[in-house]
Amino acid sequence: MKKLAFLSAVALAVALTYCGSKSDQSAGPGVIRTLLSNASGDVRIERGSESLTAAPGLPLQASDVLVTGADSTAELAIEGYGLVKVGAETRIQIQKISQDASSSSAEIKLERGNVASFVNRRSANQEYAVVTPTAIAGVRGTAFLVSVSKNADAHRVQVSVLDGQVAVNLPGQEAVVLEKNSQIAIDGFQAITRSMVRPLSRESLDEIKKLAVFHRNNITEFNTLLDEVSRITPELQILEGDATADSALGDRDSRSADRGGLDNVDRAARADVSRTVRRDTQGDPIKLQPQSSYTQQ
């Protein structure tokens, strides 16, 4: 079996310093370089009327749509922010990847499915958000999962936070800030309150673990980033060669059992967040508005 490097799914504390597989493919001035670092299974990239080959190293642009089929995943790297894993049967759009001399903003619009983000928002002038049909999850620096499903005529949005802080807000409502090891589920446009926040469930933790797997490839700069991150993150997983996510999870579970104690995920599952959930974001308010293309029916 190929060597596996095990890392922790916590907020990334390093900036991405990579380029695409073709050095002449620059993101251009004012654009945050965003890279498709890996695609597994049925992954499509739609750019206007074009359909692009989902190959590692493909630079992504604002308005690009990425769609995954059954048993398929995609991995993204956003310069200066972190890593994003797109789950199976998911549709996202690169909503915004812009920057100027004083600020930058990255937004992913999640229409359906699951997106796990492992990002580091290091200043008040740097915004990262996952926009859904009803809610926005805005971040300081964290590892978190956003899921969108549809039941009858209403969307269900769930935000699950493994580490860091995520502010969740709906149109006309105050944000509810989720701390580590917590989650919230929102049906349609229901009013959200802190009383809706729950400890991170086993199901959510399992989904985050499944998505916290990134693959090495022939993009030298991206592999260098993974090596740097490996020194500070023990739960995220890096696969090499023909290793699979299932083998990585099995190996890690065995190691956890050998230690005879609870791993980070088990501790999170038992966490009581009632005393830690708060609205204070340490003087760093998140100023994000709901996606204008989504309107209440």
Side-chain angles (χ1 to χ4, degrees), residues 69-99:
D71 300 319
S72 304
T73 60
E75 301 169 16
L76 310 181
I78 305 176
E79 183 177 24
Y81 284 81
L83 308 176
V84 175
K85 186 67 169 283
V86 182
E89 299 182 291
T90 295
R91 181 182 177 92
I92 69 168
Q93 183 178 49
I94 306 300
Q95 187 72 16
K96 185 186 297 185
I97 41 173
S98 61
Q99 60 185 341

Side-chain angles (χ1 to χ4, degrees), residues 158-234:
Q158 181 163 298
V159 181
S160 307
V161 181
L162 181 62
D163 192 75
Q165 291 180 328
V166 175
V168 180
N169 70 290
L170 273 72
Q173 298 185 32
E174 270 194 284
V176 171
V177 176
L178 274 63
E179 300 288 339
K180 64 187 296 184
N181 303 334
S182 65
Q183 67 183 49
I184 190 170
I186 307 162
D187 290 310
F189 288 88
Q190 72 177 118
I192 57 174
T193 65
R194 283 186 288 175
S195 65
M196 296 166 61
V197 178
R198 299 287 184 266
L200 203 57
S201 70
R202 182 77 246 178
E203 181 181 23
S204 296
L205 288 164
D206 287 344
E207 186 64 26
I208 293 173
K209 285 197 298 182
K210 184 171 69 174
L211 293 176
V213 179
F214 290 83
H215 297 73
R216 291 189 184 278
N217 49 45
N218 61 1
I219 305 169
T220 303
E221 295 84 351
F222 181 67
N223 290 334
T224 299
L225 166 68
L226 295 181
D227 290 336
E228 292 173 351
V229 175
S230 69
R231 294 195 290 269
I232 58 172
T233 52

Side-chain angles (χ1 to χ4, degrees), residues 235-283:
E235 204 72 45
L236 199 76
Q237 301 153 47
I238 297 175
L239 303 185
E240 299 187 29
D242 57 2
T244 66
D246 288 342
S247 68
L249 292 173
D251 194 356
R252 185 184 61 184
D253 289 344
S254 296
R255 293 186 182 196
S256 176
D258 291 342
R259 289 197 301 268
L262 295 176
D263 62 15
N264 290 341
V265 171
D266 289 324
R267 284 194 292 271
R270 301 186 183 191
D272 177 5
V273 300
S274 62
R275 295 189 300 272
T276 62
V277 174
R278 61 184 187 276
R279 294 201 62 259
D280 181 18
T281 55
Q282 301 178 9

Side-chain angles (χ1 to χ4, degrees), residues 19 25 38 106 127 212 239 277:
C19 66
Q25 291 181 314
N38 191 77
E127 294 182 339
L239 303 185
V277 174

